Amino acid sequence: MTSMRPHLFTSESVTEGHPDKVADQISDAILDAIIAGDPGGRVACETLVTTGSAIVAGEITTRTWVDMRKIVRETVRQIGYTEPSLGFDYRTCGVLIAVDEQSPDIALGVSETAGHEQGAGDQGIMFGFACKETPELMPMPIALAHKLTARLAECRKKKILNWLWPDGKSQVTIEYGGHCCPSRAEAVVIAAHHKEHVEREEIKEGIRKHVIEKVIPKEMLDDKTKIFINETGRFVIGGPFADTGLTGRKIIVDTYGGVGSHGGGCFSGKDPSKVDRSGSYMARYIAKNIVAAGLAERCEIQIAYAIGVAKPVSVLVDTMDTGVVDEERIERIVKEVFDMRPRPIIEQLNLLRPIYKKTAAYGHFGREDPDFTWEKTDMVDVLQDKAHV
């Protein structure tokens, strides 16, 4: 829970060329290819990228075949690592595949049989969150941070700033007048990967004009807002050439920017039988509909599972003292309205589709994309009717 008093809160985002996000996108691209050919496939795919190399490992059980090496190279190409001078190039990087099948012991509890409904793919706790700070019902710091990194990528791809390379980061600090009242931007931080021989002043001017001023609302910027752009003075060496990237290492970037809680499990590379992913998507769906229905200004949902068991072992609704309906009542309504067993989640959110690669950069939540079914607010009328509001 964030503070009720006036305070600052900061969240960060990274571009699709950040090494950890390169790894996430490769894992989810492989997942998409398998789901496209075999919706019942079981995928737990991890990727490591470093200078000149990509290593894919994990447990995959499927009836289809996919060319993982080709998927790795095509994903790296689409991200923008297309020149050997970057130290990581889709044509020349080494690709190692080390994949085995899912453990039969895990499959026993997860697989649907005549005498056993589909259970959770693992034990764990999943969280979903929503608030009224933005139209997307997301915390403002992470919403703006994602928009900044997405704009960096857009400026690179459209050659608006033709000296940008794929890596990059953003960070946004918002000043709050109270619990749910963002009032101004205290600080904006950008680290932009760039080509050699670009003057720092050109970088600062270009980023400010074409990225920051295009994303941060004018009313949030004032003469006290601090702007930090490439403060080391140089960011030529970047991507997997500069840092090792791993699947699942940007879980706070993927969710709510540090607002609320996180269960610890990552999303990328996991098919929706893994409740780390599907349970977290469902928790967001529930929280967003509660806020959209006007039952609370902020809402966090916790769902906990035991491996092999379909029904959650616990469900918690926390409105953080912003609810207009008693929390226990909302909790009862949630349990009545939403089926949080793995199979019904997959069916309600239509998760057995190749939609996951695009979730792997710029956040899994708060995006207006029809494939992101967990962002729909189609249960508002039902919740309002049940709560009599």
Side-chain angles (χ1 to χ4, degrees):
M1 184 186 299
T2 53
S3 176
M4 293 289 287
R5 63 176 174 78
H7 63 280
L8 302 176
F9 196 90
T10 303
S11 297
E12 70 163 346
S13 178
V14 297
T15 66
E16 63 210 64
H18 184 281
D20 292 331
K21 281 289 142 199
V22 173
D24 284 344
Q25 289 166 93
I26 290 171
S27 293
D28 273 338
I30 290 170
L31 170 62
D32 279 352
I34 290 171
I35 285 181
D38 176 16
R42 295 284 161 74
V43 181
C45 181
E46 314 290 344
T47 303
L48 179 150
V49 293
T50 187
T51 304
S53 299
I55 301 169
V56 177
E59 295 75 45
I60 297 175
T61 300
T62 180
R63 297 188 302 270
T64 194
W65 180 86
V66 299
D67 189 338
M68 293 188 192
R69 288 177 175 81
K70 184 177 180 181
I71 292 169
V72 170
R73 295 190 190 282
E74 178 59 18
T75 303
V76 172
R77 185 195 67 79
Q78 291 174 0
I79 291 169
Y81 288 104
T82 57
E83 297 188 23
S85 61
L86 288 167
F88 189 75
D89 171 34
Y90 80 101
R91 297 181 190 87
T92 60
C93 69
V95 180
L96 174 64
I97 308 296
V99 170
D100 207 340
E101 292 187 346
Q102 183 183 62
S103 162
D105 291 352
I106 294 175
L108 280 174
V110 179
S111 297
E112 207 163 8
T113 64
H116 185 274
E117 68 175 315
Q118 180 174 336
D122 200 354
Q123 71 175 53
I125 51 174
M126 290 78 215
F127 289 93
F129 181 82
C131 64
K132 298 186 77 171
E133 293 178 22
T134 66
E136 308 96 320
L137 303 186
M138 287 287 285
M140 184 174 285
I142 190 65
L144 292 178
H146 282 322
K147 289 176 182 178
L148 287 170
T149 50
R151 178 62 181 170
L152 274 175
E154 182 182 26
C155 287
R156 171 174 59 87
K157 293 173 181 178
K158 292 183 177 180
K159 301 190 184 302
I160 296 169
L161 299 172
N162 61 11
W163 35 261
L164 282 173
W165 282 135
D167 200 355
K169 289 185 174 184
S170 70
Q171 188 171 283
V172 176
T173 301
I174 295 296
E175 181 179 298
Y176 286 79
H179 196 32
C180 304
C181 303
S183 58
R184 56 180 291 276
E186 169 70 13
V188 179
V189 181
I190 298 284
H193 187 198
H194 62 86
K195 296 179 181 179
E196 191 95 57
H197 309 307
V198 184
E199 295 293 330
R200 189 177 178 210
E201 285 308 309
E202 181 182 354
I203 293 171
K204 293 179 73 171
E205 182 180 341
I207 296 295
R208 179 185 280 269
K209 178 180 178 181
H210 294 288
V211 178
I212 295 173
E213 292 179 2
K214 295 291 185 180
V215 169
I216 307 296
K218 289 182 179 179
E219 63 271 19
M220 298 297 290
L221 296 170
D222 57 33
D223 55 5
K224 294 183 179 178
T225 301
K226 304 175 184 68
I227 306 292
F228 303 96
I229 300 170
N230 284 29
E231 287 300 312
T232 67
R234 177 182 169 88
F235 189 2
V236 173
I237 300 172
F241 186 39
D243 289 296
T244 299
L246 293 169
T247 298
R249 202 159 58 177
K250 285 290 178 284
I251 57 175
I252 300 302
V253 170
D254 284 344
T255 54
Y256 308 102
V259 176
S261 307
H262 198 292
C266 77
F267 305 150
S268 288
K270 296 177 180 178
D271 75 83
S273 74
K274 280 75 172 173
V275 286
D276 277 339
R277 182 165 224 156
S278 55
S280 295
Y281 287 0
M282 189 63 170
R284 163 65 177 173
Y285 178 59
I286 296 169
K288 187 173 183 180
N289 275 272
I290 287 171
V291 173
L295 305 188
E297 292 189 11
R298 299 168 79 83
C299 182
E300 181 175 271
I301 302 293
Q302 185 201 63
I303 312 173
Y305 293 91
I307 188 169
V309 179
K311 288 187 177 181
V313 300
S314 70
V315 177
L316 174 68
V317 176
D318 182 0
T319 60
M320 305 175 181
D321 299 321
T322 69
V324 299
V325 178
D326 181 73
E327 276 184 348
E328 290 185 10
R329 186 176 172 195
I330 297 175
E331 208 166 271
R332 288 195 299 271
I333 292 169
V334 165
K335 292 176 182 178
E336 179 184 348
V337 170
F338 298 97
D339 193 334
M340 289 166 274
R341 295 172 297 160
R343 173 55 60 184
I345 290 174
I346 290 168
E347 291 173 353
Q348 179 161 9
L349 300 182
N350 195 13
L351 297 179
L352 290 178
R353 296 172 294 140
I355 59 171
Y356 295 107
K357 179 171 174 283
K358 60 184 174 182
T359 70
Y362 313 117
H364 292 246
F365 307 122
R367 293 166 61 183
E368 299 300 320
D369 185 309
D371 285 333
F372 288 46
T373 51
W374 49 93
E375 291 298 312
K376 291 182 178 180
T377 52
D378 54 353
M379 298 298 289
V380 164
D381 291 344
V382 175
L383 291 172
Q384 289 176 336
D385 181 61
K386 295 284 185 182
H388 306 295
V389 298

